[in-house]
């Protein structure tokens, strides 16, 4: 079964450093998303991406964050200057033909980001 | 802002019992998804409900979408220990807090 692949599975970084989280969405999916989940809290939407541009973003997704699809397969989330409160699981997801959830969203296994 | 409230937050039952998890909102959703999430893993999609009043069955799991598309429920019949896990309802932009289900043998 097709899956969304995320790397690395765990990243530890120092406060103020830049990190790039990588995702390979399902190959024929067109919509891509990033979510985060702080330990013990609910999943929070960060950003959706379609046709090489951001289609929607949350209040969390401020100027410290950026997304990119540098080639035909990868989808990245960059945090420019990490803060302690950025520590969380970050999930990438992709969906099929329509951004309405009708075909559901496939999530990756996540990257656990720890900022020290 | 669309909010989804799940109840109960925790549920501990004996094997063989039935249970229902609720997902409520004051907002209308074009669709809702139900997921199961294991510790340290991403949510795994169980079902998407789209049409008001829709009922979908997945073996012992029955999912309903409210007529007004503001609420949904998950009913598990004859729960088994393998059903233990965190059940989430969600849409593209928002998720519930989840229901942590424990089924004791």
């Amino acid at each position: 079964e097709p899956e969304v692949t995320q790397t690395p599975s765990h990243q530890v970084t120092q406060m103020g450093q830049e990190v790039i989280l990588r995702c390979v969405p399902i190959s024929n999916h067109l919509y891509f998303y990033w979510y985060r989940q702080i330990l013990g809290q609910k999943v929070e939407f960060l950003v959706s991406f379609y046709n090489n541009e951001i289609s929607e973003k949350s209040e969390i997704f401020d100027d410290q964050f950026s997304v990119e699809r540098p080639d035909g397969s990868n989808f990245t989330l960059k945090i420019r200057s990490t803060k302690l409160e950025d520590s969380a699981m970050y999930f990438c997801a992709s969906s099929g033909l329509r951004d309405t959830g009708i075909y559901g969203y496939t999530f990756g296994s996540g990257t656990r980001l720890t900022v020290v | 802002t669309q909010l989804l409230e799940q109840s109960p937050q925790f549920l501990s039952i004996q094997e063989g019992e039935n249970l229902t998890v609720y997902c409520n909102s004051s907002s209308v959703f074009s669709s809702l998804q139900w997921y199961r999430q294991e510790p340290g893993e991403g949510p795994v999609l169980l079902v998407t409900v789209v049409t008001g009043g829709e009922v979908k069955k997945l073996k012992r799991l029955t999912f309903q979408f409210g007529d007004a598309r503001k609420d949904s429920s998950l009913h598990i019949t004859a729960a088994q220990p393998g059903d233990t896990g965190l059940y989430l309802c969600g849409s593209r932009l928002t998720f519930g807090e989840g229901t942590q289900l424990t089924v004791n043998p």
Side-chain angles (χ1 to χ4, degrees):
Chain A
E1 186 161 331
E3 58 180 29
V4 174
T5 305
Q6 289 188 244
T7 55
S9 56
H10 191 186
Q11 175 137 13
V12 181
T13 189
Q14 290 210 321
M15 193 168 51
Q17 294 296 303
E18 174 183 287
V19 294
I20 298 176
L21 310 182
R22 302 181 191 281
C23 168
V24 179
I26 292 173
S27 61
N28 63 349
H29 281 185
L30 301 177
Y31 297 88
F32 314 114
Y33 314 88
W34 284 100
Y35 297 85
R36 79 172 185 190
Q37 186 174 32
I38 295 170
L39 187 63
Q41 299 187 23
K42 65 180 180 179
V43 175
E44 298 174 292
F45 169 78
L46 294 178
V47 66
S48 62
F49 192 85
Y50 169 71
N51 200 26
N52 276 324
E53 59 182 28
I54 291 173
S55 50
E56 208 156 9
K57 61 182 182 179
S58 71
E59 294 175 349
I60 303 168
F61 194 87
D62 60 22
D63 293 343
Q64 295 281 65
F65 293 89
S66 63
V67 290
E68 196 176 34
R69 188 152 162 83
D71 52 44
S73 59
N74 291 283
F75 180 50
T76 63
L77 174 69
K78 182 192 290 185
I79 309 175
R80 287 191 184 83
S81 178
T82 50
K83 303 185 285 257
L84 294 176
E85 53 265 37
D86 293 328
S87 295
M89 280 286 277
Y90 286 81
F91 294 110
C92 174
S94 67
S95 66
L97 299 178
R98 297 178 63 179
D99 189 23
T100 59
I102 290 176
Y103 299 103
Y105 304 93
T106 302
F107 279 74
S109 296
T111 293
R112 179 171 298 284
L113 177 65
T114 303
V115 182
V116 297
Chain B
T1 303
Q2 294 179 321
L3 292 175
L4 286 168
E5 294 187 4
Q6 278 188 250
S7 60
Q9 189 177 357
F10 298 96
L11 189 55
S12 181
I13 62 171
Q14 294 299 120
E15 183 176 0
E17 292 183 352
N18 301 331
L19 66 111
T20 302
V21 175
Y22 299 93
C23 177
N24 296 307
S25 178
S26 58
S27 303
V28 176
F29 290 87
S30 58
S31 68
L32 278 178
Q33 288 74 46
W34 284 93
Y35 299 86
R36 180 170 160 176
Q37 186 179 24
E38 301 299 330
E41 296 289 326
V44 175
L45 180 69
L46 297 174
V47 80
T48 296
V49 286
V50 179
T51 306
E54 182 176 12
V55 176
K56 282 191 173 178
K57 292 195 173 184
L58 192 66
K59 297 183 182 177
R60 292 177 294 100
L61 279 58
T62 301
F63 303 86
Q64 277 194 299
F65 200 16
D67 290 341
R69 291 185 286 126
K70 293 183 178 181
D71 54 82
S72 183
S73 65
L74 158 61
H75 182 81
I76 301 179
T77 303
Q80 299 175 0
D83 295 327
T84 293
L86 181 67
Y87 290 84
L88 303 173
C89 68
S91 68
R92 184 178 76 254
L93 300 179
T94 189
F95 281 74
E97 302 260 1
T99 295
Q100 181 61 53
L101 172 65
T102 302
V103 182
N104 303 299

